[in-house]
Amino acid sequence: MTEVVHTPRVFSGIQPSGGLTLGNYLGAIKRFVSMQDSGIEAIYCMVDLHAITVWQDPSDLRHATRELCAGYIAAGLDPSKSTLFNQSQVSAHAELGWVFSCVARMGWLNRMTQFKDKAGKNRENASVGLFSYPTLMAADILVYHATHVPVGEDQKQHIELTRDIAAKFNHDYGVDFFPITEPVIEGEATRVMSLRDGSKKMSKSDPSDNSRINMTDDADKIAQKIRKAKTDADGLPSEAKGLEGRPEAANLVNIYAALADMSVDQVLADVGGKQFSEFKPMLSELAVAKLSPISAEMARLMQTPDEIDKILRTGADKARAIADPILAKTLEIVGMVR
Ligand code: ATP
Ligand code: MG
């Protein structure tokens, strides 16, 4: 069998399961923008079908979907360069998701740590969707034959599952149809941690608002949350190895580095020896300088929700033009009469 070479194409998505956080910005959106600007074809989705794996109030969900689109655009995604749309408008995702839930094995999904974290002790009461979510995520990516997926570190396991699904499909049907997608996990903040607990990821769905910086927080709120952020009693080291075993300190330095587009070593060369009482105000100032133009633009875009809906519909048309033929070919490969 000759190996098919897939043209480079980027896909990624964010759930409208709440407001955007600094983690989403540094781990995902900021890098979506640089991939767009590098000229590679890019498709960025608001994955609303994933959001309902946990209960969402319908009007909050609509608001969060539009606000997420506003966040994408305010951060630098351009709907005339990148395809921006919400997942539920392109039914091929859900259809391919079904096929992949027949390819993936129970044992594979049983190993997914995100399900364990999110379901917690209440596993019996978690939705079936929360458990099978990674098969839909594989479909989101592979329905575009995407070759590269920029994500935060927490999604690495799901991308590995996507690769396993593509490989098993190709093997079972004797085809070389789906690409083996590469995760793109890079930068100084691939895993931004909670401001209250250095062992927990910052998440938009965390019940504690103080655990995260929201893209829509104002300058006072950002300063207040950073001031209250958990740290240890030591000062800042001059080299990265001095952050070992100090997750909260490492987190604040990583955030600074990612916001300033510097390496951790460069940051520590400047601030080594300072106390957190001095470093925290520097971090707040930098965070406000970087985030407030984005949140102001988000607020402006949210004044015209009809415009946002139009962008999503146009994006969905563009997305369908790629996804529908790939879905049709998949169904033909598996033996569905067309
Ligand atoms: P939820 O709590 O509902 O799962 P979330 O904040 O984890 O929300 P997602 O929509 O699940 O956000 O993830 C969107 C993207 O943001 C993914 O690429 C994910 O890896 C990235 N991301 C999420 N949280 C962080 C974080 N703390 N640090 C870096 N990247 C993150
Ligand atoms: Mg998440």
Side-chain angles (χ1 to χ4, degrees), residues 6 37 53 60 187-188 196 294-295:
H6 293 275
D37 294 346
T53 54
D60 291 351
E188 297 295 342
R196 310 301 294 165
I294 301 176
S295 63

Side-chain angles (χ1 to χ4, degrees), residues 265-282:
D265 281 321
Q266 283 170 328
V267 173
L268 292 177
D270 291 349
V271 303
K274 286 192 198 298
Q275 295 301 312
F276 277 101
S277 55
E278 215 179 324
F279 178 66
K280 281 178 165 182
M282 291 172 63

Side-chain angles (χ1 to χ4, degrees), residues 24-206:
N24 302 136
Y25 176 63
L26 295 175
I29 301 183
K30 190 166 184 274
R31 296 169 42 252
F32 296 177
V33 176
S34 46
M35 292 187 105
Q36 164 192 275
D37 294 346
S38 75
I40 182 168
E41 183 188 357
I43 302 170
Y44 298 119
C45 192
M46 286 121 256
V47 285
D48 47 9
L49 296 174
H50 287 287
I52 60 166
T53 54
V54 295
W55 166 256
Q56 305 292 334
D57 174 84
S59 76
D60 291 351
L61 177 60
R62 266 187 289 274
H63 180 267
T65 304
R66 292 181 178 125
E67 194 177 71
L68 177 51
C69 184
Y72 277 168
I73 296 169
L77 292 180
D78 176 348
S80 70
K81 290 188 192 152
S82 296
T83 300
L84 306 182
F85 70 103
N86 57 315
Q87 182 189 26
S88 60
Q89 293 207 61
V90 180
S91 58
H93 290 238
E95 291 179 63
L96 187 62
W98 175 257
V99 175
F100 285 170
S101 68
C102 300
V103 174
R105 307 288 93 185
M106 288 293 286
W108 299 0
L109 287 168
N110 273 327
R111 285 195 286 276
M112 296 297 113
T113 56
Q114 178 178 284
F115 176 73
K116 291 177 195 162
D117 291 345
K118 287 198 169 183
K121 292 192 182 68
N122 208 4
R123 247 171 120 149
E124 289 296 306
N125 210 23
S127 72
V128 176
L130 189 68
F131 180 75
S132 64
Y133 163 124
T135 58
L136 180 58
M137 177 165 160
D140 298 335
I141 296 166
L142 294 173
V143 84
Y144 300 100
H145 277 185
T147 55
H148 295 84
V149 184
V151 279
E153 165 62 41
D154 61 296
Q155 293 301 321
K156 190 165 184 245
Q157 198 183 29
H158 292 162
I159 308 292
E160 278 160 10
L161 185 95
T162 301
R163 294 163 62 92
D164 290 343
I165 289 175
K168 183 165 164 57
F169 182 98
N170 288 347
H171 173 268
D172 288 356
Y173 292 101
V175 290
D176 191 358
F177 184 61
F178 287 114
I180 308 299
T181 304
E182 292 292 337
V184 185
I185 302 172
E186 50 192 30
E188 297 295 342
T190 56
R191 189 175 180 84
V192 177
M193 306 310 282
S194 156
L195 298 178
R196 310 301 294 165
D197 177 351
S199 68
K200 244 171 90 182
K201 183 183 86 68
M202 183 182 285
S203 290
K204 58 176 120 69
S205 63
D206 192 298

Side-chain angles (χ1 to χ4, degrees), residues 220-281:
D220 287 347
K221 194 88 196 163
I222 292 175
Q224 185 197 52
K225 286 177 175 176
I226 291 178
R227 200 164 49 239
K228 284 196 189 154
K230 191 174 163 199
T231 46
D232 51 43
D234 293 344
L236 286 150
S238 319
E239 287 170 29
K241 74 173 175 341
L243 291 170
E244 278 168 22
R246 300 176 62 190
E248 287 89 7
N251 189 36
L252 296 186
V253 174
N254 289 346
I255 292 173
Y256 190 100
L259 284 170
D261 288 312
M262 290 165 78
S263 71
V264 166
D265 281 321
Q266 283 170 328
V267 173
L268 292 177
D270 291 349
V271 303
K274 286 192 198 298
Q275 295 301 312
F276 277 101
S277 55
E278 215 179 324
F279 178 66
K280 281 178 165 182

